[in-house]
Structure formats: C-alpha cells, structure tokens
Amino acid sequence: MSGTDPTRHPGRPWALPSTIAREFDPGGAGRRGRRTVRDWFADFSCFAAAVLLGMAGADAISANPHVSEDLADLDQVVGALACAAVWLRRRWPLGLAVAMVPVALVSDTGGGAAAVALFTLAVHRPFRYVAWVGAASIAMIPFAYWMRPDPEMPYGVSLAFGVLISLTVIGWGMFVRSRRELLLSLHDRALRAENEASLRAEQAQRLAREAIAREMHDVLAHRLTLLSVHAGALEFRPDAPRPEIVRAAGVIRESAHEALQDLRQVIGVLRGGDTDGPGRPQPTLAALDALVAECRAAGMKVVLDSRVTDPDAVPAALGRTAYRIAQEALTNARKHAPGAEVTVTVTGAPGEGLTMTVRNPAPPGDVPKVPGSGQGLIGLAERASLAGGRLGHHALPGGGFHLEAWLPWAP
C-alpha cells in the first residue's frame, strides 16, 4: 500500500502503482485505464479489509441490544453494498469518500468500506479534499455512537477510538501519497539530470567539432590557397620562364605535402587513434618569421615588424593564437589583394598584452576569383575571444584592408 521504489524495479513496471508506472513506462503497464498487477493486489486487499471489518461490524450490530433486528438487517445490506462499491475507489475516489460519510453514520457494517474510501482519497487527491471529507467523517462519529451506542464501551472512549481510527487512516494515506510524490520527483530529477548530461555532451561535441573545423580551416586554408594561387598562375601564364614555372611547381608540391601532413594529423585526432601521439609541433610566435619567409617564397610582398624582444618567451597558447591570426590574415591578403605589400606589426609585453596589426593597400591589378567559405574572419574573432582578447577589422579607403588583434599576456 505504501508504494514501491522504482529504483528497485527498473524492469518491472507491473510491480508499481499505475500512477507511478505511467510516468516510468507511458506506453506499457500503467497507462490510463489499465491497472498493474500491484493495483489488483491492492484492490483485493482493500476489498478484503472492508469485508472483514464489515463482518466484525455486522456481528457487533447484531449483538447490540440498542438496535432492532430490522435495523441490523438494513445495516448489513447497506454495508454489503458499501463493500462492493470499494471497487470504484480508483475511478471516483472523491465521490466514493463523500458517499461513505452518511453510510458510516447509518451502518456499522459499512465502516470498513468508509475507512478504505477515506484512505483512497488521501492517497489520490490533494489535502484540501481530504480535509473537508475527513472533517465531515469525524464530525459524524459522535452522532453514530449516539444513535448506536456500544454496550461494552463508554461513550467517551468509543468517541476517542473512532476519531483515532479516522486520523490514523488519513495520516496513513497522506504518508503513501507523499512517498509516491517523492518517488516521482526523484524520477523527474533523474530525467532532468540525464537530459542535462545529454545536452552537455552534445554541446561538448559541437564545441569539439567547431574547434576541429576552425583548426582545419586555419591549417589547410593557408596551404590550399598557395596551391590555388600558383596553379592559377600556371594556368593563365603557360609561357612563363622555366625558372618561374619550376618555382611555382615547387611551391605547389611543398604546399600539397604540408597540407597532406596537416590533414593526416587532423584525421588521426578525429579517429581517436593518434590522440596520445606527439603529433606535429604546434606553431608559436617564434615561427612567424618562417611563415613570412614562406609567403615571400610564394611571391608575396610581406614586411614583418616584430617588436617583441624574445618571441620564445611568449606563452605557447598565446603564441599559437597570434600565429594563426597572422596566417589567416596573410592567406586572405594573398587571395583578395595579390601583389599588394602586406605589413605585419607585432608589439607587446607581459602585463600589457600582445597586439598584432596586418595591413595591406588595394591590389595593383585584377583579382582572380579564389573560392573561400567567408568564415575565416569569424573564426579568428572567435579564437581571439576564447583567448580572452578581441579582434577588429575594416576596409581602408581606396580598397585596402586593416586587421588588428589584441591578446592578453599575463605578467
């Protein structure tokens, strides 16, 4: 009668009350209108309790000298009907409890059924209904013992005993209801925790995918842009001098090799097989000179003005972010302003932050169409924000472009 802990019966909804089983298994046992095995057992138990208490009441009323034989027979008939009505307690708990208030007044045999109805009301309905019906039931007790006094028990003792029984039944039913509500609240809390864990896992996966996509863009866009630019130059200038063709082919080969190496590393991370390996060394601010030299070898005009005294002293995470910003900015300048001189300025010190500026004037000639996603600057702004810094950019008068980033550098 007190309910069953669902954590003890995760695969047995039939052993739970239907009100709880509906929450745990909405499409199976316990769905609306269907009783579980436990419900049938509880209903038979309540019916048996009502019948046993009714038989005791029938014996008492038959032996009571203050009650005539006709009234005793009527009492038993009413009590029998009340016991039969116990089977309706799940469908109409409030109506049955209200109907049992006058029944308990006129029939000792129906006292057991009235107690079961009051208990059912306390289990299945809020306290305001229980308070009204329970108060009415207790208020009827003095009249019931006045109409049919117990020959073996004083009136005051009988009255106290009846009130105690009613309060016990109400308290027991409220305890069962509170326990069921506790179980349902724990179940809801577990579901919310599971859903929140699932959302956190999905968010972590999304953030991981975004980080991988950003890394692939930062790493591969630079290499593939070199391939596109030099392949386009070979396509539109098939009569170029042989040394220039050889140099362009060498850049294409080297860029393709580096792109394959970077792609192999990223794929290894995605597969999870190479996550513990050392992998390729990550770039830092000290590798900015090599990046500029690579761009110059590819035909770009790049001026590097680095005012950082010791690039090797820059923290690895800070240096890597600055390197990726410079790499993306140079890649964009190569795509959208070929032939223009690009100036990269790096300043900063511990406690002041690291500032990087990349500027280029308008391109001197026509700009060949180079495919791109247009997400590079968005990714750079997000990368700078994740590092605790900021990034801004705007077009210059005449067709140039200016990009500036500031990153925090702890003292």
Side-chain angles (χ1 to χ4, degrees), residues 124 164 199 252:
H124 294 283
L164 179 62
L199 290 177
I252 292 175

Side-chain angles (χ1 to χ4, degrees), residues 17 92 119 303 379:
W92 296 298
F119 169 80
V303 177

Side-chain angles (χ1 to χ4, degrees), residues 52-356:
L52 291 177
L53 292 176
M55 293 174 62
D59 291 339
I61 201 67
S62 298
N64 194 333
H66 302 288
V67 179
S68 64
E69 184 177 351
D70 292 338
L71 288 179
D73 293 340
L74 179 62
D75 184 294
Q76 295 176 13
V77 171
V78 174
L81 294 176
C83 291
V86 166
W87 289 102
L88 304 176
R89 70 187 190 93
R90 291 187 181 273
R91 180 167 297 183
W92 296 298
L94 178 60
L96 181 63
V98 171
M100 288 299 166
V101 173
V103 168
L105 177 64
V106 301
S107 173
D108 286 356
T109 310
V116 170
L118 190 59
F119 169 80
T120 304
L121 180 67
V123 171
H124 294 283
R125 290 297 181 266
F127 176 73
R128 61 181 182 272
Y129 300 108
V130 181
W132 283 105
V133 178
S137 299
I138 293 175
M140 292 297 174
I141 293 176
F143 297 99
Y145 282 107
W146 177 76
M147 294 171 56
R148 297 183 305 279
D150 193 321
E152 299 179 358
M153 188 180 299
Y155 177 77
V157 175
S158 301
L159 187 64
F161 181 75
V163 172
L164 179 62
I165 291 297
S166 297
L167 293 177
T168 301
V169 170
I170 294 174
W172 185 19
M174 292 179 62
F175 169 75
V176 174
R177 177 178 175 82
S178 64
R179 177 172 170 79
R180 290 184 180 182
E181 290 179 347
L182 175 62
L183 295 178
L184 291 176
S185 66
L186 292 176
H187 175 66
D188 292 340
R189 187 182 303 175
L191 289 180
R192 286 197 300 270
E194 183 179 354
N195 292 335
E196 290 173 1
S198 178
L199 290 177
R200 285 194 298 268
E202 291 178 1
Q203 184 179 13
Q205 292 176 355
R206 179 178 59 82
L207 293 176
R209 288 194 297 267
E210 291 177 356
I212 291 172
R214 185 168 55 248
E215 191 68 19
M216 291 183 68
H217 178 275
D218 293 343
V219 171
L220 297 180
H222 176 70
R223 308 294 180 189
L224 298 180
T225 301
L226 287 178
L227 287 173
S228 177
V229 170
H230 285 84
L234 291 179
E235 179 182 3
F236 288 103
R237 293 190 59 190
D239 57 343
R242 179 176 178 79
E244 188 173 336
I245 294 177
V246 171
R247 183 178 63 82
V251 173
I252 292 175
R253 179 186 59 79
E254 183 64 24
S255 298
H257 176 73
E258 294 291 333
L260 287 174
Q261 290 293 103
D262 294 332
L263 183 61
R264 187 176 294 112
Q265 181 181 2
V266 173
I267 291 176
V269 173
L270 288 173
R271 289 178 175 174
D274 298 334
T275 54
D276 297 332
R280 304 185 68 192
Q282 295 297 326
T284 61
L285 190 64
L288 192 59
D289 291 332
L291 176 64
V292 171
E294 180 182 342
C295 293
R296 288 170 179 168
M300 289 186 66
K301 300 175 183 178
V302 183
V303 177
L304 176 61
D305 182 12
S306 180
R307 303 174 189 175
V308 179
T309 307
D310 186 7
D312 291 327
V314 177
L318 173 62
R320 181 185 180 187
T321 302
Y323 178 92
R324 294 303 187 198
I325 292 175
Q327 185 183 51
E328 177 63 20
L330 291 173
T331 300
N332 289 339
R334 184 185 301 114
K335 291 193 297 183
H336 304 295
E341 184 177 85
V342 184
T343 303
V344 180
T345 305
V346 185
T347 60
E352 298 179 0
L354 184 71
T355 302
M356 173 175 290

